[in-house]
Amino acid sequence: TTRSWNFLGLSPHSPSNILPKSKMGDGVIIGVLDTGIWPESESFNEKGLGPVPFHWKGACESGENFNTTIHCNKKIIGARWFIKGLLAEYGEPLDTSTDFLSPRDANGHGTAISSIAAGSFVYNISYKGLGGGTVRGGAPNARLAMYKVCWNLFNGYCSSADILKAVDVAIHEGVHVLSLSLGDSVPISTIVDDAIAIGSYHAVTRDIIVVCSAGNDGPFAQTVTNTAPWVITVAASTMDRAFPTSITLGNNITLQGQSLFTGPHTGFTRLIYPKSTKIDSTSTSICDSLSSLNKTMVSGNVVLCFTSYSEEALREAGCVGVIIATNPSDLMLPSDDDFPNIQVDYEVGTRILSYIRSTSAPLVKLSRTKTVVGKLISAKVAAFSSRGPNSATPAILKPDVAAPGVNILAAYSPLRSYADGGYAVKSGTSLSTPHVSGIVALLKVMHPSWSPAAIRSALVTTASRNGPSCSILPIFAEGSPRKLANPFDYGGGIVNPNKAAYPGLVYDMGREDYINFLCAVGYNTSALSQIVGQVTACSSTKPSVLDVNLPSITIPNLRDNINLTRSVTNVGPVDSVYKVDIDPPLGVNVAVRPDTLVFNSSVKTITFTVAVSTTHHVNTGYYFGSLTWTDGKHVVTSALSVRTQIADYTDG
Amino acid sequence: TESSNVHIVYLGETQHDNPELVVDLHHELLASVVGSKELASELMVYSYKHGFSGFAAKLRESQVQQLSELPGVVRIIPNSLHKLE
């Protein structure tokens, strides 16, 4: 976070952004469902915070190495732990020696998430000199309630029974925002079988905003998780910061890789491309296993590996560093000071290999990683970030938005060897999610009456699809190959908090919209009445998922002409006139009626119709466009994603 | 011989403002299938009683089937693991 908030336009030094107007989230309570919290971290100091919000009904629970009176304060106002579901399923005694039976975080994940969403200002933090600056949360004055539902058993898992209990308690205790950096495995559950979807439905109908991670199964399509239309699903992007690491070859050519190598440079060292000593059909790379490596050859040298490597095997074989040529992953592991691991792409890897083969004694020098920030570095969607379309309900666009989630420096459990003074660099949609949770807290202060759907709409319709401000260049999505990003990569785009605070129009939703959605996905009257808590019937004409009032339009199977509806509510100046601007997907006709929306003191919400037809005569993949309303000042953009399906089969 | 696993029995919106009444309802519902309130208490893992109504309990497949046929039960879903992202 030493850079991410500046990247998002929320630098505390700029008076024009929403930080002052939102009182930095003061009064808002963010509930985090995660691995617990390390309360001694400076990120959770209570300096400058006023009394705990009066409506708060929560509490801290003492437990192993966690004392309520010592460890909770005006920042951490709630801390509970839930493990009964995990224990009941996997039996007692479970080996709990790797965690604390309390809200204390042994894993570090929950501490990071909490500090990104609502951590206090902590100055002069870096990771061993890299990425230095001020660490803080998006809403530094917001309060935190930790619900520990994930445990450092099996390397960090959480049972849905425990998650649901935490959501139930959090609703009761009075959180405003729930932040869940957790995901399902692919194939994902449908909404009716998804505990997070069920719990979050009841939270959202009580005006609690639920923010969830999209998952780390990208760049493959249909991998996005947490797809309920009432939650905000967050993809991960990079930001305007890079960690280049110089690789100087013996012929004095210097190439650049990426790393978090903080040790001294290696000096010129022998560079080896190892050959396997035997055929191993199970290995993807020679560098994967010690048995594949010729120890005599690689000992004392830097090795070049392709595709993958095992640091343990290389260290045991006596290597002093590794250059790994691989597909872009955006996942960099911190290097130990004495063992640099530098990532390069295949192009650079091939150049290095060519050098090795061109000389009898190849040499290389690996230099300490540098931190580079600024407009020369453009953000892109991270390779690992899970992609749409939504495999559970394709007409519901997921993810909703993207936020920084690559190489985020945040508070961590000091028990982790890679944490430097209680701070570590991590990547994942887990890290992008609390960025949005923090922003949501700011918006909640500025617009306390906005519904969760209105806040989501504001985030989605104002998100950036171009590079840094002033740039008209579209954002790329990392993958194989790198490509222009589309709504399945980043939803509306990379979140833009300063614009989201003044969206002009919002696509609002309430209980009735959710009921229509539940009818559309097949709930019957009896089940629906139970869910809603009163006798409720679906209309005789089955509602269409296409009409769910989302700030996006996704049509997964366009054959005949389709008319769908949306409603927009004016949250800008009372007397406003908006005109439509349509950028249709290739080969798709889109017409909007009316094409002008006139708002005044008596007209706050207007419904419009979107007529969509295709000119394609064959099944196609998705084509993308946009539908934008503008009054000359506000620009309210919805993504259009349309797949033509003429023949009655799916071809992906 | 039938093994039991944790299941989440989802009952929708809470029907009472008093959480204790909601908990009693959960025990009664489970007891109606497992045979006694004592056994229901033993099998109960959680009562969800504030934001929505439901419970998590260790159940055999036959009990899941019986419960799913009772009025008021919206859905029964098996407990599953979620991962950190």
Side-chain angles (χ1 to χ4, degrees), chain A residues 247-253 266-275 297-304 320 323 349-366:
Chain A
I247 301 164
T248 308
L249 303 176
N251 58 7
N252 270 335
I253 287 176
T266 58
F268 276 104
T269 307
R270 187 74 187 267
L271 174 61
I272 299 291
Y273 177 56
K275 292 190 174 89
M297 180 189 273
V298 301
S299 181
N301 299 324
V302 172
V303 299
L304 170 67
V320 296
I323 300 167
T350 302
R351 286 182 70 184
I352 295 171
L353 180 57
S354 172
Y355 161 70
I356 291 171
R357 286 175 172 163
S358 69
T359 180
S360 56
L363 297 173
V364 69
K365 182 173 79 174
L366 304 177

Side-chain angles (χ1 to χ4, degrees), chain A residues 438-520:
Chain A
I439 293 166
V440 163
L442 303 181
L443 298 181
K444 185 76 183 168
V445 173
M446 294 179 72
H447 306 291
S449 64
W450 283 11
S451 70
I455 287 180
R456 187 259 297 272
S457 172
L459 293 169
V460 171
T461 59
T462 59
S464 303
R465 291 173 296 158
N466 297 328
S469 55
C470 305
S471 169
I472 56 164
L473 295 175
I475 293 167
F476 276 80
E478 194 61 274
S480 292
R482 185 179 292 169
K483 64 175 182 64
L484 287 176
N486 66 47
F488 295 148
D489 300 312
Y490 59 16
I494 297 178
V495 66
N496 185 334
N498 295 318
K499 285 190 176 173
Y502 307 102
L505 305 177
V506 292
Y507 293 80
D508 204 357
M509 285 165 72
R511 194 177 287 247
E512 200 171 311
D513 299 274
Y514 300 131
I515 289 170
N516 282 338
F517 170 78
L518 292 170
C519 290

Side-chain angles (χ1 to χ4, degrees), chain A residues 87-104:
Chain A
L87 292 175
E89 188 78 65
Y90 296 96
E92 293 179 81
L94 206 60
D95 176 14
T96 51
S97 63
T98 56
D99 208 333
F100 301 98
L101 287 172
S102 76
R104 182 173 291 277

Side-chain angles (χ1 to χ4, degrees), chain A residues 395 544-549 552-557 562 564-566:
Chain A
S544 166
V545 181
L546 296 176
D547 287 327
V548 176
N549 203 36
S552 58
I553 295 172
T554 307
I555 305 174
N557 50 359
I562 286 179
L564 53 90
T565 60
R566 288 288 186 275

Side-chain angles (χ1 to χ4, degrees), chain A residues 158 162 165 168 202 206 216, chain B residues 10 13 46-47 51 82 85:
Chain A
C158 352
D162 293 326
K165 184 62 184 175
D168 184 41
H202 292 279
R206 286 162 173 78
N216 295 345
Chain B
Y10 174 52
E13 193 64 64
Y46 287 122
S47 259
H82 292 255
E85 298 290 3

Side-chain angles (χ1 to χ4, degrees), chain A residues 82-84 88-90 157-162 164-165 168 172 181-184 192-193 198 202 206 213 215-217 428-430 530-531 533, chain B residues 4-6 8 10-15 44-52 56 58 72-85:
Chain A
F82 304 87
I83 196 171
K84 282 164 70 178
E89 188 78 65
Y90 296 96
Y157 276 98
C158 352
S159 99
S160 49
D162 293 326
L164 216 42
K165 184 62 184 175
D168 184 41
H172 172 67
S181 288
L182 324 171
D184 217 343
V192 295
D193 287 324
I198 290 170
H202 292 279
R206 286 162 173 78
S213 55
N216 295 345
D217 292 310
T429 51
S430 276
Q530 282 292 132
I531 293 167
Chain B
S4 59
N5 293 97
V6 177
I8 294 161
Y10 174 52
L11 305 171
E13 193 64 64
T14 46
Q15 301 296 325
M44 188 74 78
V45 179
Y46 287 122
S47 259
Y48 307 120
K49 58 189 177 185
H50 299 293
F52 49 91
K58 289 197 81 168
V73 175
V74 178
R75 193 83 177 177
I76 301 181
I77 59 176
N79 188 29
S80 62
L81 287 180
H82 292 255
K83 56 184 178 173
L84 304 170
E85 298 290 3

Side-chain angles (χ1 to χ4, degrees), chain A residues 10 52 57 77 97 110 144 170-171 174 315 320 340 369 379 398 447 639:
Chain A
L10 291 180
V52 171
K57 287 196 234 167
I77 63 170
S97 63
L144 286 163
I171 292 172
R315 276 176 172 277
V320 296
T369 301
K398 293 287 172 177
H447 306 291

